[in-house]
Amino acid sequence: MRTDSSPGTLPAREHLPAAGAGTPVLDVVIPVYNEEKDLQPCVLRLHEHLTRTFPYAFRITIADNASTDTTPEVAARLEAQVAEVRSFRLEQKGRGRALRSVWSASDAPVLAYMDVDLSTDLNALLPLVAPLISGHSDLAIGSRLARASRVVRGPKREFISRAYNLILRGSLQARFSDAQCGFKAIRRDVAQVLLPLVEDTGWFFDTELLVLAERAGLRIHEVPVDWVDDPDSTVHIVKTATDDLKGVWRIGKALAGGSLPLDRLARPFGDDPRDRDIQDVPRGLARQLVGFCVVGGLSTLFYLVLYSLFRQFSGAQIANALALLVSAVANTAANRRLTFGVRGRGGAVRHQAQGLVVFGIGLVLTSGSLAALNAAIGNPAHSTELAVLIAANLAATVLRFLLFRAWVFPDRRDDGPTPPPAFDAAGPYAPHHFPQHPYQPQQHQPQQHLYQPQQRPAAPQSSYDPTRIRAGADADRATWRDATMPLQPVRPQDTDPRDYR
């Protein structure tokens, strides 16, 4: 997937300072369905852990998606008893639907979720969200397949998990190690532009989110976790696996067809303020050279075969022109897709027309070489013609690469703004679903600490509006109006009221 180096939708990552009173930095979502037994112990244990170890204000959100037991009553009771707990109910099932609904309405700059069974050791929570707070990464996932992870589970689930991740690596070229671990976090500004692209509302939701984020060039941080399998899990393995495979096929088709303009999500070059004045940074030159050489070698063989065939019934000049024309069309199409990563039908005709201009230059070089050969040798051997054509094609190849890179498939660094995202009948893959917020560098004071603890009020008055959560299908068509959250930088002179030094 091609990514350009324009600022795109997302600005450079910034360290997230401690938010003001009433605004949590972290919102941990617990999606539940008929979990009346495990919900209260889970929430109380998580709350105690965050209160003891997390240096920022936080919120725990219970996302009940269509439970039929007493789970809603348990959630309401916890919300009334614990100040940092919120509960919401959706009238349709689906873990992805619940996460999309709550994350889209949350005002916290870091969003996370975990399964209600707390199979993952909570000591991994702070390492999970720290790279997002510091500005190092865009998403973070817990990995049960990392070397440093310690996992207790049966051979059946172990086999299914590893087989699924092998499928992702083989079919979608995914590089993250564990797509299914229910322990993930994302920055809110990233969620605002990625969620409109995610179509799945069930268990494949977070896998789709990760694949799209990785293809967009966003940074995914992996944390090794200690994980103990829940023997009472209600997940239907066969149905979930079938749905996941359908999702892999759907995403593969979308990526191959170029219907996801993920280049709009590119971060600017360099997140350090000193790097933000750098302009026109070359991107992917080494990879493009390798791809161009491979395509060029295959095209040359194809060209020589065609020339030999056409030479059986035509003169050298006509055979050369026909072979070069056919191979040029194939070469432009292959370089468009494989070397420069341009997908979809947009601009294909224009690219082929420009490729024909480049073909004309190559035709002049090769035809001139043949004319010079015939002038020097009255009736040259076929092998001599091929040798001269190979030399002329090498010169034409160098010129063709330069023209392709600079003229036919240049990096688009000055794309104009695009309208904000909106769900409509065109579907989640419509190109206009991308808000455009041109990055404007700001001057920030130097930061002294990675974490600056802030005292949490006893009863925070949050701007979190429960009315922004809509039940059922309406929640899937929510519109984001505020793509970023105004944050004040942490300054060295700021002090912690709990520091008595």
Side-chain angles (χ1 to χ4, degrees), residues 317 364-378 380 388:
Q317 293 289 0
V364 170
L365 286 174
T366 54
S367 297
S369 300
L370 284 175
L373 177 64
N374 287 323
I377 304 175
V388 170

Side-chain angles (χ1 to χ4, degrees), residues 157-209:
R157 285 183 175 271
E158 181 77 11
F159 173 79
I160 292 175
S161 179
R162 292 188 179 275
Y164 179 65
N165 283 282
L166 284 175
I167 291 173
L168 291 180
R169 288 174 177 269
S171 60
L172 301 178
Q173 289 79 50
R175 294 188 297 271
F176 47 85
S177 64
D178 191 353
Q180 293 178 310
C181 183
F183 195 71
K184 296 181 176 69
I186 185 173
R187 286 175 63 105
R188 177 174 175 263
D189 57 347
V190 177
Q192 294 289 333
V193 294
L194 267 182
L195 289 179
L197 285 174
V198 181
E199 181 177 330
D200 191 81
T201 59
W203 291 95
F204 188 70
F205 170 86
D206 41 358
T207 299
E208 185 172 355
L209 187 75

